[in-house]
Amino acid sequence: MTVKVSHITHIDNLASILGQGCLWSDAKRIELGLVNQNIGYSHIKQRRLVRPVKVAAGGTIGQYVPFNFCPRSVMLYVIHCGHDDFDGGQDKVLHLISDTETVRLGNQHCFFTDIHADLDYAEQIDDFTRINELDIKRIINERYWQDFKEEKQAEFLAFESVQWTVIRQIGVKTQDVANEVNMLLQNAQHKPEVVVRPQWYY
């Protein structure tokens, strides 16, 4: 069973991703000294750099590239509202879409969690026959998620890097952003489909 997954990033990071040919984990990006427009909570990113992983390739959560199982994630709502580390809003945030099977074909060291991976009691699972234990339909469709917040933040994580070629689609909020993305993709060998999906945003 393969499941669609979504990684959010700011459009300002796209040129670097294309240049590198992959999405790097936070730990690897820091090691390589790559500049990045951070849209997440810095304190959580720091915590993830030391939170241990007991499955897949081991290491820490910060050594993995994170995906959600839905667009319009809880973190995107935080970005939309603004927070201490980023107040640029959601309009220039991209959804990079792939699926678990495609990512795993190029990276065998993957796992998923039943809730937000940063929580102490999150279960780390690398047996992908269990992925149907997640309520994927509700994760995707739940728009009023206050009583489902932790489950909606379940994650799929791939060790160290995810090749750009596994990204199948780029979801954006507006046609203007789609035009910007298409300009950036002009010289790229791999050009995912760019789709305008305002329903993926708040």
Side-chain angles (χ1 to χ4, degrees):
M1 175 182 174
T2 192
V3 179
K4 277 191 176 181
V5 290
S6 171
H7 176 92
I8 58 172
T9 191
H10 197 275
I11 193 171
D12 288 353
N13 297 327
L14 185 55
S16 175
I17 292 168
L18 293 171
Q20 294 292 312
C22 67
L23 302 171
W24 290 116
S25 69
D26 278 343
K28 191 68 177 178
R29 179 183 53 75
I30 292 165
E31 179 189 322
L32 294 170
L34 298 173
V35 177
N36 178 66
Q37 174 58 70
N38 176 42
I39 56 176
Y41 282 128
S42 294
H43 70 283
I44 292 180
K45 284 180 172 285
Q46 288 298 316
R47 206 161 60 208
R48 290 168 72 104
L49 289 171
V50 296
R51 188 173 291 283
V53 172
K54 298 173 183 176
V55 296
T60 68
I61 292 175
Q63 291 177 280
Y64 289 74
V65 181
F67 291 80
N68 285 118
F69 291 102
C70 59
R72 202 174 184 270
S73 64
V74 175
M75 191 63 220
L76 187 65
Y77 178 72
V78 174
I79 292 163
H80 167 56
C81 293
H83 60 88
D84 289 346
D85 300 316
F86 180 74
D87 63 359
Q90 64 175 342
D91 290 6
K92 295 292 186 80
V93 174
L94 314 178
H95 288 84
L96 307 182
I97 307 296
S98 189
D99 64 84
T100 54
E101 192 171 292
T102 302
V103 174
R104 290 175 66 219
L105 282 172
N107 187 334
Q108 62 181 330
H109 300 300
C110 298
F111 72 101
F112 66 97
T113 61
D114 56 338
I115 54 176
H116 194 308
D118 187 54
L119 295 172
D120 286 332
Y121 46 93
E123 186 177 3
Q124 299 175 351
I125 306 163
D126 59 2
D127 175 3
F128 279 83
T129 65
R130 293 183 56 196
I131 202 162
N132 59 358
E133 294 176 15
L134 298 178
D135 189 347
I136 296 294
K137 282 188 178 178
R138 189 176 180 196
I139 288 171
I140 293 169
N141 296 319
E142 189 70 70
R143 297 181 75 80
Y144 304 100
W145 37 254
Q146 282 73 11
D147 64 345
F148 190 64
K149 185 177 179 181
E150 291 178 4
E151 294 88 347
K152 191 170 175 71
Q153 294 181 91
E155 295 181 47
F156 168 73
L157 301 109
F159 184 65
E160 198 158 87
S161 68
V162 170
Q163 293 302 302
W164 174 246
T165 51
V166 308
I167 302 302
R168 300 299 189 212
Q169 199 175 58
I170 303 174
V172 301
K173 189 181 180 192
T174 65
Q175 187 59 51
D176 284 347
V177 177
N179 294 341
E180 284 187 62
V181 171
N182 281 317
M183 286 287 289
L184 289 164
L185 291 175
Q186 270 187 331
N187 297 318
Q189 282 193 311
H190 175 62
K191 296 180 174 69
E193 177 190 21
V194 180
V195 295
V196 179
R197 294 286 186 269
Q199 65 270 30
W200 288 2
Y201 294 80
Y202 292 92

